[in-house]
Amino acid sequence: MRLELVPRGDVSPWARVLAPVAAVIAAVLIGGVVIAVMGRSPAAAFQVYFVDTLSESWGLQEMAVKATPLLIIAVGLSFCFRASLWNIGAEGQFIIGALVGSILPLYTAGSGAGFWVIPLALVMGALGGLAYAMIPALLRVTFGVSEILSSLMLVYVADLVLDYLVRGPWRDPKGFNFPQTVNFDATLPFLADGGRLHAGVLLGPVLVLVAWFVISRTLFGFGVRVAGEAPKAARFAGFDANRMVLAAFAISGAAAGLAGVLEVLGQIGQLKPGISSGYGFTAITVAFLGRLHPLGMVFGALVVALTVIGGESAQIALKLPLDLTRTFQGVLLMCVLAADALVSYRVRIVTMARA
Amino acid sequence: MAGASGREDQRDGPPLVSLRGIVKRFGTLTANDHVDLDIRAGEIHALLGENGAGKSTLVKILFGLLQPNEGEIRWQGQPVTLANPEDAGRLGIGMVFQHFSLFDNLTVAENIAVALPKGEDMRSIAARIASVGERYGLALEPGRPVWTLSAGERQRIEIVRALLREPRLLILDEPTSVLTPQEADTLFVTLEKLAAGGCGLLYITHRLEEVKRLCSGATVMRAGKVVAACDPRQESVRRLASLMVGSEVMEVRAAAAHQLGPVRFELNKLSLAPDEIHGVALKGVDLAVRGGEIVGVAGVAGNGQAELFAAMSGESRAEKAGAVRIDGADAGRDDIDARRRRKAAFVPEERNGHAAAPRLTLSENVVLSRHATGGVARHGLVDASAAKAVAAEISRVFDVRKGRVDPPAGTLSGGNLQKFVVGREILREPGVLIVNQPTWGVDAGAAATIRQALIDLAARGAAVVVISQDLDEIFAIADRIAVIHDGHLSATYPAREIDREKIGLLMAGTAEERPHAA
C-alpha cells in the first residue's frame, strides 16, 4: 500500500483562500494536544495565547508593531520567491539596513537636529539593505554562485559587523560598557497611548498596496511571475534573467533594510546586538503563509506576530517554555504547506489489489 | 531467442500475449477503454494511433509501469499480473523507449551494464554486445562514450540492452522518430531478423508507410478504443490513416500562385557556440528567405535545431550585427523583442514552458510575446482587458477549444495550445515567422489548421522558416528545403526537385558539402 497525490482538475479560488485559515485551525488543535501532553490546560493556554492578546489594546498594538517588520520584509521577499530566487539572507539585509540607517541618528544625537533626520535615515536604511542584497545577486549573475548559500552566510557577517560596531567605535561612552550606542533623538512618533504603536506601522499597508499593484498590473511584475513560473518562457518574452535577479534582490534588500531601520527608530531607539530576534527568517514563513500574495502576507504577518506575543504571555503566565512558540510556528508552517498541497492534489491510497 | 522454437507451431497455440478488456482511467479521462490486443510469437504487430489515442498508456500497462483498472493480461494463455517492470522482465517482455535513458558520459558497455543484473564483468558484457551485434546487425563499439554517438547509434544501445535480456516480446515506442531514412532501413532489417527468431514485436508508431512495409498485424486505436484490427499489408495507407484520424485525412491547400518578394530574412555565416555542455555549435549558417515562401529545415533531432531557433529569434544573440538581417536591416545584436519590433515573430518547439507559461492564463500568455509590439502593454503597465480581447480573437480565428473564457495555458490540450501559440504570432501579421516543430504531437485536425495558416501567411508576403523533424510536414508545406546536420545548414533545394533519399543523406551528414543547386 502506498499514497499517491493526484492533481485535482479545477480548484475554486475560495478553496485557495480558505486553505490557510483551515491550516491555522489545524495548527491550533495540534498545539493544544502538545500542551495537553505537557500536562497543562489547553484551554488556559488558548485564553492566554489568543483571547487575552486580541482583547486588549496593548496586545493589539504590540501585534501591529511585531507584524510590521515581518510584513515589510515578507513583501520584499515575495518578489524574489515569485521569481524562484531564494534570498535567505533578509536577516542580514535587515541588520545592515538598521546599521546604515542609524548613522545619521547616531551622529545627530544630542545636537538638536530637526525632524529631517528621520526620512533621510529611512532612505539610507533601505539603500543599505539594498546594497547588501546586491552581493549575493551580483555573485549569482557574474559567477553563478548559489544565492541560497551566499545570502545566508552574509547574515552572520552582518551580525558580526553590528557586534563590532556596538562594542567598538559606536559604543556609548557613558553606557557602563554595555554593547550599545547612545539613545537616538530621532525616533518615530507614537500613534497611541499605552502601547508602542509607532508611526512606522503605517508603512506596512502602504507597501502592501504598492507591491500588489506592481505584481498584478505592471510589466515588471509580470516578468517576475513568468521568470518564476517558466524561465524559458521569460527568455522567450525578452525579459533579461540577470536584470530580473538584480531587481528582485534590490527590492527585497531595500524592504528588509527599511524594516531594520524602522525597528531601530520605532521600537528600540538605539543600536545593540539582537535588534532583530530573527525577523528576517520568520518573514520567510510569513511570505509562504500568505502564499506570496500581498494581502495574504498581511494575514500571515498578523498570525505569526500573534503567536510570538501569545508565546511571551504564555511564558510569563503559564511558565510554558519559549521553545513552544517556535514549535507552534513550525507546526503552523507545516499545516499551511500541507493545506496548500491538499488544495491542489487529492490523496489516493493505492493498494496492490489485483485488477 | 531463448525458448523460441520455429514459427509454425506457434501459429495455432494461444498468442504470446493477449490483453482482454483493458480499462485505464486517469481521473475523468478514460485513456484505455476495453482494449483487446493479441501478439503472436514471430509477429511484428503495429499499434497505430495519433498522439493521445492511448497507445502509450496501453504499452505502460503491458510493461508493468501502470496497473489497469479493469481487464486481464494473459501470457501464453495464463493470466498474469504485471505489478512492475521487473515482473514484465521476468516473463521476457523488453522495451525500447522513445526517449533514450542513457548516461552521456558513460561508454556504450557501461550503459548496457547498468541495466543488467550485477556481477557480470565488463569483458564478458563486451563480448555479448559483440555477439548480439553481429547476429542482428547492430554494430556498436563498446568503449565509445555515448555523447559522441548519433541518435541511431544510441537507439542501438537501447535495443542491445533489451536483447541481452533475451526478450520474447519486444516493445518499440516510435523507434524511427529520431532516425534518418537510411538508419530506419537498417533498423527494419534487425527487427525482421528478431521476428524470424521467434520474438514477438509490438511496434508503436503513427508512420503508416513503415507499418505497411514491416508489420503483419495492426491494431488501430482512437480516443482510447480499438477501432480496427487488420492486416496492414491488405490496407491502403489512406484507409489506415482515416481509421486513425476518424475521418478523411485533411490535406492542406497549396497557396494560389503568387510573386516572391525581396529577401526578408537572412543569415550570413552565422556561427554560435552552444549554451550548454553537449549542445551543438552553429557553424557558418547561411540562409536567405524571400517574402512569399516557406523554407523547411529538416534534420534529425539534436543536430542544432534548438540552437538555430535561438539564434534566429534573438534568444541567443549573434556576435556580428550582420549575421542576422530582417527586412534588410542588421539584427544580429538585437534581442528577441527588438527583432519582434522589426515585424519578426517566433514559435518555439516546446509549447508548455517555452512558447507559453503553463500556469498563466491565455491572456497573460498573450502579453508574454506581445508586450514589446504594442497593444497589450503601455508605459510599463499591462493592459489586461486588451490582452483578453486578443486572446479571445486568437481563440476564435484558430478555433482554440477551452473549458473557460481565460483558462491557464497548461489546461489546454496539446493541439489547442499549439493553435493558440501559433495563432498568437500569425494574427500579428508578421513579416518574418520562424517556427520550430509547428505540429509536433498535435492531432491531425490541429496540424492541418496550423499548416494551412503557415501557407496562407507566406502567400500574403511573409518569409516563413519551418524547422521540423517531420519530413512529411516539410514536403507538405515547404517551397524550399535545407537540412541541418551537426550545426551545419545545407544549401536549400526546391522541394519539387529533392527526394527523400537525398534528404536522408544530408540528414546523416554523408552528402557532398556544397552542391551546386541553390
Side-chain angles (χ1 to χ4, degrees):
Chain A
M1 197 194 92
R2 65 200 157 90
L3 296 176
E4 240 179 29
L5 287 179
V6 186
R8 294 181 199 268
D10 231 356
V11 180
S12 89
W14 279 110
R16 295 213 177 276
V17 173
L18 289 177
V21 178
V24 171
I25 293 170
V28 167
L29 293 178
I30 295 172
V33 171
V34 172
I35 289 169
V37 167
M38 290 170 71
R40 310 292 166 81
S41 151
F46 186 79
Q47 171 78 23
V48 172
Y49 249 93
F50 299 109
V51 180
D52 289 354
T53 312
L54 287 174
S55 59
E56 287 170 28
S57 156
W58 170 86
L60 292 172
Q61 290 194 34
E62 198 65 8
M63 232 174 101
V65 169
K66 283 260 190 279
T68 296
L70 291 174
L71 177 61
I72 293 176
I73 302 171
V75 165
L77 283 177
S78 67
F79 281 85
C80 277
F81 294 164
R82 272 181 184 267
S84 290
L85 297 167
W86 307 109
N87 178 4
I88 310 297
E91 178 82 356
Q93 292 139 27
F94 177 96
I95 291 170
I96 296 296
L99 277 184
V100 176
S102 293
I103 294 174
L104 271 184
L106 180 71
Y107 286 103
T108 57
S111 72
F115 184 77
W116 56 270
V117 172
I118 292 180
L120 265 184
L122 295 184
V123 170
M124 284 176 69
L127 290 177
L130 186 156
Y132 205 57
M134 280 301 101
I135 302 175
L138 285 169
L139 282 174
R140 180 181 152 122
V141 168
T142 46
F143 300 115
V145 176
S146 158
E147 76 278 11
I148 302 177
L149 288 177
S150 58
S151 64
L152 178 62
M153 290 193 294
L154 283 166
V155 171
Y156 306 111
V157 175
D159 229 359
L160 292 171
V161 170
L162 170 67
D163 223 43
Y164 165 74
L165 286 174
V166 295
R167 287 172 202 278
W170 286 5
R171 189 175 54 190
D172 180 4
K174 296 175 201 146
F176 305 104
N177 240 351
F178 279 109
Q180 59 193 31
T181 64
V182 294
N183 283 316
F184 301 156
D185 301 331
T187 53
L188 297 167
F190 287 110
L191 296 177
D193 292 332
R196 300 197 290 167
L197 191 70
H198 58 79
V201 168
L202 300 176
L203 271 176
V206 172
L207 291 178
V208 163
L209 289 177
V210 171
W212 172 80
F213 180 80
V214 170
I215 280 286
S216 62
R217 293 295 159 89
T218 67
L219 200 53
F220 170 75
F222 179 73
V224 169
R225 286 189 289 146
V226 178
E229 288 284 336
K232 279 167 87 179
R235 191 174 139 188
F236 177 65
F239 301 131
D240 185 322
N242 287 342
R243 245 189 306 189
M244 197 61 76
V245 172
L246 296 176
F249 266 81
I251 290 171
S252 67
L258 179 65
V261 65
L262 281 178
E263 186 70 3
V264 169
L265 300 187
Q267 274 226 74
I268 307 171
Q270 60 181 172
L271 276 183
K272 56 185 184 185
I275 50 171
S276 163
S277 70
Y279 282 129
F281 293 117
T282 312
I284 299 173
T285 312
V286 170
F288 283 102
L289 212 51
R291 333 188 82 264
L292 303 181
H293 189 283
L295 296 176
M297 287 185 286
V298 174
F299 164 81
L302 288 173
V303 168
V304 170
L306 179 60
T307 66
V308 171
I309 297 157
E312 284 171 1
S313 308
Q315 199 184 359
I316 296 164
L318 302 175
K319 306 280 181 294
L320 285 169
L322 191 59
D323 294 330
L324 192 66
T325 302
R326 296 187 181 249
T327 309
F328 183 69
Q329 286 174 1
V331 169
L332 187 60
L333 185 62
M334 292 303 293
C335 287
V336 168
L337 294 177
D340 234 32
L342 290 177
V343 166
S344 307
Y345 298 92
R346 197 157 50 81
V347 177
R348 199 177 55 181
I349 299 168
V350 182
T351 52
M352 278 301 167
R354 309 267 141 143
Chain B
M1 305 291 303
S5 35
R7 290 180 88 169
E8 290 73 23
D9 56 13
Q10 294 170 353
R11 278 280 149 200
D12 307 320
L16 185 62
V17 68
S18 54
L19 305 180
R20 282 288 169 273
I22 297 289
V23 175
K24 179 69 187 176
R25 295 185 202 94
F26 298 104
T28 53
L29 176 86
T30 304
N32 282 171
D33 190 356
H34 296 92
V35 172
D36 294 341
L37 175 70
D38 287 326
I39 305 162
R40 298 186 168 272
E43 174 192 33
I44 305 181
H45 190 97
L47 183 57
L48 277 167
E50 296 206 277
N51 291 291
K55 296 174 306 209
S56 295
T57 303
L58 188 67
V59 165
K60 281 179 183 160
I61 288 170
L62 187 52
F63 195 55
L65 287 166
L66 289 175
Q67 306 307 312
N69 298 106
E70 290 172 32
E72 191 178 52
I73 303 172
R74 284 188 218 141
W75 181 258
Q76 293 181 319
Q78 301 300 313
V80 290
T81 304
L82 303 172
N84 50 49
E86 286 74 46
D87 283 359
R90 266 192 295 278
L91 289 178
I93 301 176
M95 177 144 181
V96 176
F97 290 92
Q98 183 177 10
H99 298 287
F100 305 147
S101 45
L102 299 173
F103 299 99
D104 274 355
N105 290 320
L106 297 186
T107 64
V108 171
E110 285 164 345
N111 264 290
I112 289 171
V114 293
L116 294 175
K118 277 184 211 157
E120 194 172 347
D121 71 78
M122 290 302 282
R123 219 171 327 149
S124 107
I125 290 174
R128 284 173 63 196
I129 293 171
S131 96
V132 168
E134 198 175 334
R135 189 146 33 123
Y136 295 107
L138 294 160
L140 277 175
E141 295 170 54
R144 281 271 295 275
V146 163
W147 65 269
T148 63
L149 303 179
S150 72
E153 289 170 308
R154 288 174 199 219
Q155 185 180 56
R156 264 177 245 158
I157 301 177
E158 293 269 5
I159 295 175
V160 168
R161 197 145 88 166
L163 291 185
L164 284 185
R165 306 190 66 171
E166 307 193 336
R168 303 178 58 197
L169 172 67
L170 186 62
I171 306 166
L172 298 113
D173 190 2
E174 302 268 356
T176 56
S177 64
V178 294
L179 303 183
T180 64
Q182 286 83 355
E183 282 175 323
D185 285 343
T186 315
L187 173 70
F188 297 157
V189 173
T190 302
L191 298 184
E192 274 158 1
K193 279 188 187 164
L194 270 170
C199 184
L201 289 113
L202 182 61
Y203 189 88
I204 299 146
T205 190
H206 59 257
R207 298 187 178 184
L208 303 169
E209 298 286 356
E210 288 174 4
V211 172
K212 270 189 73 69
R213 177 171 154 193
L214 196 65
C215 302
S216 51
T219 298
V220 185
M221 288 184 72
R222 187 168 75 229
K225 293 184 182 151
V226 171
V227 291
C230 58
D231 182 343
R233 292 166 299 191
Q234 311 294 324
E235 308 283 347
S236 72
V237 167
R238 229 189 142 68
R239 163 140 170 82
L240 287 173
S242 64
L243 281 173
M244 242 167 71
V245 179
S247 58
E248 285 300 299
V249 195
M250 279 192 263
E251 279 176 8
V252 290
R253 284 187 318 279
H258 56 276
Q259 287 281 312
L260 290 191
V263 171
R264 300 197 73 169
F265 183 76
E266 225 181 321
L267 301 176
N268 297 309
K269 300 196 176 48
L270 172 71
S271 294
L272 208 58
D275 284 350
E276 291 163 21
I277 320 173
H278 305 321
V280 179
L282 297 178
K283 295 154 190 143
V285 172
D286 284 314
L287 182 69
V289 188
R290 298 172 66 181
E293 69 172 346
I294 298 180
V295 171
V297 175
V300 177
N303 270 287
Q305 286 94 334
E307 289 82 356
L308 181 65
F309 177 82
M312 294 201 283
S313 70
E315 288 180 310
S316 303
R317 286 189 241 183
E319 267 167 34
K320 292 199 200 84
V324 181
R325 290 165 67 85
I326 296 170
D327 276 329
D330 288 353
R333 296 296 304 154
D334 288 356
D335 66 12
I336 187 166
D337 283 336
R339 292 184 197 191
R340 285 185 177 125
R341 287 190 203 99
R342 296 187 190 280
K343 293 206 72 183
F346 312 96
V347 183
E349 171 177 3
E350 218 184 317
R351 313 181 254 287
N352 265 317
H354 194 175
R359 284 167 61 173
L360 299 191
T361 63
L362 289 184
S363 66
E364 288 174 313
N365 274 296
V366 167
V367 179
L368 191 77
S369 79
R370 293 252 194 133
H371 64 85
T373 48
V376 296
R378 218 167 289 109
H379 311 304
L381 297 182
V382 173
D383 186 342
S385 58
K388 285 201 175 86
V390 174
E393 167 86 358
I394 296 168
S395 304
R396 188 179 56 76
V397 175
F398 281 83
D399 186 27
V400 177
R401 313 263 171 90
K402 51 199 164 66
R404 276 186 279 152
V405 175
D406 196 16
T411 61
L412 265 59
S413 75
N416 281 308
L417 183 54
Q418 188 69 19
K419 282 192 282 189
F420 182 82
V421 298
V422 171
R424 180 180 66 185
E425 307 308 324
I426 286 184
L427 282 190
R428 264 183 62 210
E429 212 44 50
V432 173
L433 179 69
I434 314 290
V435 38
N436 191 2
Q437 298 271 61
T439 63
W440 191 86
V442 308
D443 58 278
T449 307
I450 289 167
R451 287 173 188 166
Q452 191 65 54
L454 294 174
I455 289 172
D456 295 345
L457 178 72
R460 293 196 297 271
V464 178
V465 177
V466 176
I467 304 171
S468 178
Q469 288 152 37
D470 182 348
L471 271 185
D472 295 331
E473 169 165 89
I474 286 190
F475 276 110
I477 63 177
D479 302 302
R480 287 189 294 143
I481 299 174
V483 176
I484 189 165
H485 174 260
D486 193 25
H488 291 282
L489 190 69
S490 75
T492 58
Y493 301 84
R496 284 184 198 81
E497 291 170 23
I498 187 167
D499 57 17
R500 276 165 199 266
E501 178 135 7
K502 169 78 178 164
I503 289 186
L505 292 174
L506 288 167
M507 281 163 78
T510 49
E512 71 274 36
E513 262 310 292
R514 283 271 154 227
H516 48 263

